[in-house]
């Protein structure tokens, strides 16, 4: 019944010239969107993928003229790459861990305690993202220079932690705030101590949001290049920094392409993992501070 | 089983000037069902939360079985609370929600299995063990919350408007089920509500609160028949309230004299309260003493099934007659009464309460006056005040 009745207006629509035009316009729009999407996102991605597996790519051809894996071997055995990859992973892990240790208790305090200047404090984390990063880094670099932190691992860790503050404070703060206090009171009521209430009620309930914050922090730290570049030179060379220098200085496109693909890997892995683990709306809900 | 005493219980929140709860004293007997009733914001929840340990009293004591519990946190008090909000833990199944407290108390597993099963059976949700709260309706969630509270066998069961988020039919059904359960297991229960029908149908005694004060603590029938304060008179059931003046022993309401009030002392400005079923009435005749028999015109006559609600405009009765709608006399008549809109009517209160600022209210019964139509007055005596009639107040 339902399909029958709904079929009739569609046929009428097709006969009516103005409606027909409207529908065509709508379809045209989606075609245009797909094309734009392809040009802007898929196209460049495909180009990178093609380049990574190309032994030879002569001008008029739309695809590589000779495929192969030889540049993978060549790139991944470069001394600077084998040094940068573990460094990047290690650095992202350390930064994420330290940031979590600092920010998660702080976000709990922001959510649960009312102290003077609380709102201002929360907004101050926005400041690191509201102004051009580069300027901020340069002025921090001046300070770090005096403290002998330039070119050191602690220096890079510090600058990257600054980057993670917004995400690591705001998402968990909102998550803690969103928990109905009476859920905790109900647990207290049946005999749970405050510590147990936190561990068995509060924590499980904010876990999806916390995981989202941690994963996003890890990925964004892994890709962070500006701070690592300015503070890390010349000793600390992370993967993104290395990629910049390779792309800038090498005539061989394939090196950059292979490194790009390697750099995609962690974020693809983590986001797949995140998608399974984190409910779709948590990340967006997390920003409702 | 258990008794509860509140002694001088007071709570002031830093943010507010007035105390949210002011010097509340009451005793609840073993197995008693006490309702705390009052308008929104009068301090009901705060009182309950002080009993449960969620708010610290500014002054006063809470004693359970004679022992002060005021120093104990909620997890160490022998009370269990059912909240107004849905508070099942969403990441735990129904079974784990109910078992949570028992596990904390290291109850052996076989006992937990058995008790959870019994508790679910008691609230009519056998077989729901493996569901998550999101798979339950609001009513089912509150039943599980009740099971979760009862399974620990608390001394005192606290309920803070547990059914107020449910639709009317379900609310009545759960209320009746709760009543049956409470009677069966004989638990001492404190039930907070702003719904007088709920309080009147559940409570052994009702504590009426207003602006942080305990106004009256009595059985439901007493509260209805002898409201101790003007607030209670107005809040419980339907009541006609007038300003009156006293000269010596005679009272005047507007242009009318009220008979039968002797022994009223103190203020010369008083309030008179008359229940809608406490009127005698009939068609006006010339023989009526015009200053004692109230004369009015029927403005609305509403057939409410088993009785008739009649709104009468009586000129010169209410002091301030600008808002006409609020100043119509509410009168309940038997369904058979011949009361059409536009009819003239003579009436007189056969029972009323006199409120002064200083003393207990004085009840006056007055059968001296008779309308022309005696049979109607006799019909009136058959009008029973049902709780439905009360529910239609407001
Ligand atoms: N945590 C609090 N902080 C400040 N004031 C509060 C707090 N809780 C309740 N109040 C105030 O105390 C009064 C009584 O509140 P409550 O006990 O919740 O009323 P009820 O349950 O009768 O509606 C209200 O005026 C309310 O605004
Ligand atoms: Mg309340």
């Amino acid at each position: 019944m339902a399909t029958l009745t709904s079929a009739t207006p569609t046929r009428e629509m097709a006969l009516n010239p103005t409606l027909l035009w409207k529908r065509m316009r709508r379809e045209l729009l989606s075609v245009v969107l797909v094309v734009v999407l392809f040009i802007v996102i898929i196209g460049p991605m495909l180009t990178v993928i093609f380049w990574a597996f190309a032994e030879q790519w002569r001008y008029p051809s739309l695809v590589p003229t000779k495929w192969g894996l030889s540049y993978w071997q060549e790139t991944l055995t470069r001394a600077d790459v084998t040094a940068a990859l573990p460094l990047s992973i290690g650095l992202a892990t350390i930064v994420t861990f330290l940031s979590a240790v600092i920010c998660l208790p702080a976000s709990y305090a922001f959510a649960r305690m009312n102290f003077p200047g609380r709102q201002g404090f929360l907004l101050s984390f926005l400041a690191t993202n509201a102004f051009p990063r580069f300027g901020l880094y340069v002025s921090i670099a001046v300070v770090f220079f005096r403290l002998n932190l330039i070119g050191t691992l602690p220096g890079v860790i510090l600058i990257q932690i600054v980057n993670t503050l917004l995400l690591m404070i705001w998402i968990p703060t909102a998550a803690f705030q969103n928990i109905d206090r009476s859920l905790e009171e109900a647990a207290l009521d049946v005999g749970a101590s405050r510590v147990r209430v936190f561990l068995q009620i509060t924590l499980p309930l904010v876990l999806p949001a916390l995981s989202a914050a941690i994963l996003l922090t890890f990925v964004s730290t892994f890709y962070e290049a500006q701070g690592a570049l300015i503070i890390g030179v010349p000793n600390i060379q992370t993967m993104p920094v290395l990629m910049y220098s390779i792309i800038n200085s090498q005539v061989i496109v394939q090196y950059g392409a292979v490194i790009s693909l390697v750099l995609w890997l962690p974020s693809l892995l983590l986001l797949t993992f995140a998608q399974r683990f984190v409910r779709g709306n948590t990340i967006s809900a997390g920003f409702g501070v | 089983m258990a008794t509860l005493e509140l002694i001088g219980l007071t709570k002031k929140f830093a943010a507010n000037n007035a105390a949210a709860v002011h010097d509340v004293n009451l005793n609840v007997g073993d197995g008693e069902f006490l309702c705390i009733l009052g308008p929104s914001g009068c301090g009901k929840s705060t009182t309950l939360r002080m009993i449960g340990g969620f708010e610290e009293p500014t002054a006063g004591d809470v004693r359970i079985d004679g022992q002060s519990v005021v120093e104990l946190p909620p997890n160490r008090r022998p009370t269990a609370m059912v909240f107004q909000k849905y508070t099942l833990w969403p990441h735990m199944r129904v079974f784990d929600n109910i078992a949570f407290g028992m596990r904390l108390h290291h109850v052996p597993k076989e006992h937990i299995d058995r008790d959870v099963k019994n508790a679910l059976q008691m609230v009519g949700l056998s077989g729901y063990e493996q569901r998550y709260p999101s798979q339950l309706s609001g009513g089912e969630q509150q039943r599980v919350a009740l099971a979760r509270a009862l399974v620990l066998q608390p001394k005192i069961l606290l309920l803070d408007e547990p059914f107020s988020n449910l639709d009317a039919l379900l609310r009545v059904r759960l209320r009746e089920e709760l009543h049956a359960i409470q009677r069966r297991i004989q638990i001492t229960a404190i039930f907070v509500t702003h719904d007088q029908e709920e309080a009147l149908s559940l409570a052994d005694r009702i504590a009426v609160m207003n602006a942080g004060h305990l106004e009256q603590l009595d059985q439901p029938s007493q509260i209805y028949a002898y409201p101790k304060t003007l607030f209670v008179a107005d809040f419980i059931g339907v009541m006609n309230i007038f300003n009156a003046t006293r000269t010596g022993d005679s009272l005047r309401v507007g242009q009318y004299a009220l008979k039968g009030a002797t022994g009223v002392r103190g203020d010369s400005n008083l309030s008179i309260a008359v229940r809608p079923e406490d009127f005698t009435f009939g068609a006006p005749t010339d023989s009526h003493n015009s200053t004692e028999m109230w004369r009015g015109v029927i403005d609305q006559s509403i057939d409410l099934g088993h009785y008739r609600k009649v709104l009468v405009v009586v000129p010169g009765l209410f002091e301030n007659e600008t808002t006409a709608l609020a100043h119509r006399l509410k009168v309940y008549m038997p369904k058979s009464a011949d009361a059409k809109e536009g009819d003239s009517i003579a009436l007189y209160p056969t029972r009323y309460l006199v409120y002064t600022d200083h003393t207990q209210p004085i009840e006056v019964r007055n059968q001296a006056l008779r309308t022309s139509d005696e049979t109607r007055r006799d019909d009136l005596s058959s009008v029973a005040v049902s709780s439905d009639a009360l529910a239609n107040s407001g």
Side-chain angles (χ1 to χ4, degrees):
Chain A
M1 274 306 282
T3 46
L4 268 179
T5 46
S6 70
T8 327
T10 321
R11 203 169 52 224
E12 276 169 8
M13 214 193 286
L15 294 174
N16 181 326
T18 42
L19 282 180
L20 193 68
W21 170 234
K22 256 192 188 163
R23 248 178 65 187
M24 267 177 59
R25 247 190 358 200
R26 206 183 311 148
E27 268 163 29
L28 203 70
L29 194 73
S30 50
V31 168
V32 168
L33 264 178
V34 168
V35 170
V36 168
L37 214 66
F38 189 86
I39 293 172
V40 173
I41 297 176
I42 314 277
M45 272 168 65
L46 267 185
T47 317
V48 173
I49 292 170
F50 284 172
W51 266 120
F53 295 98
E55 307 256 296
Q56 189 188 58
W57 194 348
R58 295 257 150 98
Y59 166 58
S61 170
L62 276 177
V63 293
T65 35
K66 193 169 164 216
W67 299 85
L69 285 173
S70 63
Y71 279 100
W72 280 80
Q73 206 202 345
E74 216 171 296
T75 313
L76 294 181
T77 51
R78 282 173 61 120
D80 48 6
V81 173
T82 52
L85 191 58
L87 175 73
S88 267
I89 292 173
L91 197 60
T93 309
I94 292 171
V95 168
T96 306
F97 175 77
L98 289 179
S99 174
V101 167
I102 297 166
C103 295
L104 296 186
S107 65
Y108 185 76
F110 276 122
R112 288 303 164 80
M113 291 162 204
N114 212 347
F115 46 89
R118 177 183 166 280
Q119 204 63 28
F121 235 123
L122 261 182
L123 287 175
S124 73
F125 294 108
L126 204 55
T128 57
N129 287 43
F131 304 109
R133 285 273 169 87
F134 214 77
L136 185 71
Y137 292 154
V138 169
S139 42
I140 289 180
V142 173
V143 178
F144 277 20
F145 190 77
R146 293 217 190 109
L147 299 172
N148 279 331
L149 285 170
I150 296 292
T152 65
L153 201 59
V156 177
I157 290 172
L158 274 178
I159 195 92
Q160 293 199 323
I161 284 180
V162 170
N163 256 330
T164 64
L165 290 182
L166 181 73
L167 209 68
M168 270 302 219
I169 296 263
W170 276 31
I171 292 182
T173 298
F176 282 121
Q177 272 173 344
N178 282 342
I179 290 189
D180 196 330
R181 296 298 286 272
S182 48
L183 288 177
E184 296 174 347
E185 288 183 341
L188 210 58
D189 195 45
V190 298
S193 63
R194 300 223 172 246
V195 174
R196 193 176 280 276
V197 170
F198 181 79
L199 291 179
Q200 288 193 267
I201 306 296
T202 318
L203 207 54
L205 291 177
V206 293
L207 205 57
L210 294 198
S211 324
I214 288 173
L215 291 178
L216 288 172
T217 299
F218 183 89
V219 171
S220 71
T221 305
F222 189 81
Y223 292 117
E224 202 282 329
Q226 292 179 355
L229 181 68
I230 294 170
I231 305 295
V233 287
N235 309 328
I236 309 291
Q237 197 167 38
T238 64
M239 281 296 274
V241 172
L242 178 66
M243 194 178 74
Y244 277 141
S245 74
I246 287 181
I247 289 171
N248 282 340
S249 59
Q250 304 276 340
V251 277
I252 301 170
V253 183
Q254 282 89 333
Y255 287 151
V258 169
I259 291 179
S260 301
L261 286 197
V262 171
L263 280 178
W264 283 354
L265 214 62
S267 79
L268 280 182
L269 282 179
L270 283 175
L271 289 180
T272 321
F273 176 64
Q275 209 180 14
R276 289 177 158 228
F277 191 61
V278 179
R279 290 193 315 272
N281 56 358
T282 313
I283 296 181
S284 50
F287 286 103
V289 172
Chain B
M1 305 312 290
T3 61
L4 171 75
E5 288 164 80
L6 306 184
I7 301 157
L9 200 60
T10 299
K11 177 74 188 181
K12 270 199 168 89
F13 287 106
N16 311 357
N17 282 332
V21 174
H22 183 81
D23 192 24
V24 166
N25 294 282
L26 59 83
N27 291 347
V28 188
D30 183 16
E32 187 178 4
F33 199 123
L34 180 89
C35 277
I36 302 180
L37 173 65
S40 172
C42 71
K44 308 181 295 291
S45 294
T46 306
T47 306
L48 201 71
R49 289 170 59 79
M50 284 193 282
I51 301 171
F54 299 107
E55 302 286 357
E56 203 182 321
T58 314
D61 201 4
V62 177
R63 291 189 191 154
I64 295 172
D65 283 340
Q67 298 275 318
S68 173
V69 295
V70 85
E71 300 292 332
L72 299 178
N75 47 332
R76 294 181 48 215
R77 289 194 191 195
T79 56
M81 182 109 131
V82 180
F83 296 80
Q84 178 174 13
K85 293 181 186 164
Y86 301 139
T87 57
L88 296 187
W89 304 301
H91 57 299
M92 296 185 196
R93 295 173 191 274
V94 166
F95 183 93
D96 300 308
N97 262 279
I98 299 175
F100 185 74
M102 282 190 285
R103 288 182 181 140
L104 295 177
H105 292 104
H106 306 293
V107 177
K109 193 180 173 307
E110 314 84 69
H111 287 204
I112 294 182
D113 290 348
R114 186 197 59 204
D115 288 356
V116 171
K117 197 161 181 268
N118 289 343
L120 278 175
Q121 193 177 9
M122 180 157 60
V123 297
L125 289 181
S126 292
Y128 279 58
E129 283 89 342
Q130 297 310 314
R131 300 238 195 146
Y132 278 100
S134 59
Q135 297 167 312
L136 302 179
S137 71
E140 287 165 346
Q141 291 196 43
Q142 290 305 69
R143 285 171 204 243
V144 175
L146 181 63
R148 182 175 70 181
L150 288 176
V151 82
L152 295 170
Q153 303 183 334
K155 287 187 169 178
I156 316 261
L157 178 64
L158 307 173
L159 305 108
D160 190 353
E161 313 206 24
F163 308 137
S164 62
N165 290 330
L166 309 176
D167 66 65
L169 269 175
L170 195 58
R171 195 156 59 223
V172 172
R173 214 171 99 198
L174 281 190
R175 174 204 299 168
E176 282 162 3
E177 286 177 22
L178 170 70
H179 202 204
I181 290 171
Q182 189 270 339
R183 283 284 176 272
R184 186 144 51 84
I185 64 176
Q186 297 276 305
I187 191 172
T188 309
I190 319 287
F191 187 103
V192 159
T193 180
H194 66 267
D195 177 349
Q196 51 172 308
E197 191 195 342
E198 199 160 61
L200 289 166
S201 55
L202 276 174
D204 295 319
R205 284 189 303 159
I206 297 176
V208 183
M209 283 188 73
N210 177 35
H213 292 256
L214 178 62
E215 296 263 333
Q216 185 168 5
L217 175 64
D218 253 324
Q219 287 160 359
S221 56
Q222 279 303 99
I223 297 238
Y224 185 82
Y226 303 101
K228 258 193 196 142
T229 65
L230 207 52
F231 171 81
V232 179
D234 198 20
F235 186 70
I236 304 285
V238 178
M239 191 70 101
N240 296 288
I241 294 178
F242 318 96
N243 292 328
T245 51
R246 182 181 66 83
T247 1
D249 256 356
S250 65
L251 297 183
R252 289 193 76 81
V253 175
Q255 67 186 44
Y256 296 102
L258 266 182
K259 269 212 160 176
T262 52
V264 181
R265 292 288 167 265
D267 295 347
S268 54
N269 286 309
L270 320 152
S271 295
I272 304 289
V274 190
R275 291 282 181 209
E277 63 272 21
D278 288 337
F279 284 99
T280 181
F281 52 88
T285 64
D286 292 340
S287 68
H288 294 146
N289 182 335
S290 65
T291 66
E292 287 177 359
M293 185 61 69
W294 303 358
R295 289 154 179 277
V297 176
I298 295 178
D299 189 44
Q300 251 182 60
S301 178
I302 305 156
D303 186 351
L304 287 173
H306 53 290
Y307 67 101
R308 182 176 288 281
K309 177 179 172 187
V310 178
L311 302 177
V312 185
V313 174
V314 181
L317 191 60
F318 293 99
E319 216 165 52
N320 174 0
E321 293 191 336
T322 48
T323 48
L325 277 186
H327 288 113
R328 293 179 300 181
L329 208 58
K330 287 160 278 198
V331 183
Y332 294 159
M333 299 182 182
K335 197 173 141 81
S336 58
D338 172 31
K340 291 190 296 296
E341 289 169 14
D343 281 0
S344 291
I345 186 169
L347 33 74
Y348 190 79
T350 53
R351 175 183 183 271
Y352 58 88
L353 295 158
V354 182
Y355 291 86
T356 68
D357 275 354
H358 309 295
T359 58
Q360 297 263 322
I362 296 161
E363 182 196 18
V364 180
R365 288 177 181 274
N366 193 342
Q367 303 292 344
L369 286 166
R370 290 285 182 271
T371 60
S372 60
D373 192 342
E374 290 292 320
T375 56
R376 278 197 189 163
R377 196 188 54 78
D378 292 341
D379 281 350
L380 183 65
S381 61
S382 70
V383 178
V385 179
S386 66
S387 67
D388 296 342
L390 304 182
N392 284 310
S393 70

